[in-house]
Amino acid sequence: MEALKEIANIAGKSGLYRIMKPSRTGVIVESLDEKKEKTMIGPTARVSVLKDISIYTDDEEQSKPLADVFLAIYEKYEDSLPITPKSASNAELAEFIGEVVPEYDRDRVHMSDVKKMIGWYTILRKNLPEVFEKKAEETTDVEATAEATPGEMPSATAETEEQKA
């Protein structure tokens, strides 16, 4: 999910934004909604790039990147999430995140953060579905490569070589 390095959350603003380009006085962002509204964000704004966000876990790594959490949600639910962030109780949110990331740290992960994460997932699925499809294709290519016997070229690579010729 390399695309998450250009997607950001801006403190005090709802939704997600695509980082367009930096300028002398801040950064230009475009909203990830139907409006595609471009805005200049000043240097004092707190901008959090999704690629840099992770969730606390109880395992030896102590955190899991948000991209991995999104992929786990996608693999389990795709577009049919069992809860909505606004109407879900804290118990429902805890059960949801426990199903997706069983090793999440129950003391340090706040349910308000889980609500944000579900909202962000919904925005990404609606406005940037290709983020999830690209990763699914990469996984399939990696599996095909792993299944190939030594000296045998996987079919995906063979097609690429034929196209080059």
Side-chain angles (χ1 to χ4, degrees):
M1 295 183 94
E2 276 301 303
L4 291 185
K5 69 181 178 185
E6 41 182 69
I7 307 300
N9 173 18
I10 301 168
K13 293 186 173 274
S14 63
L16 292 176
Y17 296 83
R18 180 187 313 268
I19 298 171
M20 301 303 287
K21 62 181 179 178
S23 72
R24 292 188 316 263
T25 58
V27 66
I28 299 172
V29 296
E30 178 183 61
S31 64
L32 285 183
D33 58 12
E34 294 76 32
K35 295 178 186 176
K36 301 288 184 201
E37 194 173 279
K38 291 183 180 168
T39 309
M40 171 64 89
I41 302 299
T44 59
R46 288 191 349 235
V47 177
S48 302
V49 178
L50 295 190
K51 179 102 173 127
D52 299 335
I53 298 174
S54 60
I55 184 171
Y56 291 116
T57 61
D58 287 329
D59 60 7
E60 65 278 349
E61 294 175 14
Q62 304 223 347
S63 69
K64 184 172 190 142
L66 189 59
D68 293 349
V69 176
F70 284 160
L71 286 175
I73 294 171
Y74 178 73
E75 288 171 4
K76 189 164 181 84
Y77 299 107
E78 290 191 20
D79 288 330
S80 58
L81 292 178
I83 62 174
T84 58
K86 292 182 181 179
S87 63
S89 69
N90 283 350
E92 291 171 324
L93 291 167
E95 182 180 334
F96 172 80
I97 194 65
E99 288 176 10
V100 176
V101 184
E103 68 277 8
Y104 87 97
D105 187 332
R106 281 141 179 84
D107 295 329
R108 297 194 292 173
V109 175
H110 301 279
M111 292 305 113
S112 60
D113 296 332
V114 175
K115 283 183 181 183
K116 279 187 216 171
M117 184 180 59
I118 294 169
W120 293 345
Y121 176 83
T122 305
I123 291 169
L124 289 172
R125 283 298 298 152
K126 181 178 180 185
N127 298 298
L128 286 175
E130 64 274 6
V131 169
F132 297 94
E133 273 92 48
K134 287 180 185 176
K135 185 62 179 178
E137 288 173 12
E138 289 172 14
T139 303
T140 304
D141 289 347
V142 168
E143 289 170 359
T145 304
E147 291 174 2
T149 58
E152 181 181 318
M153 192 179 319
S155 60
T157 308
E159 289 174 14
T160 306
E161 294 298 321
E162 288 174 8
Q163 291 172 352
K164 289 180 182 177

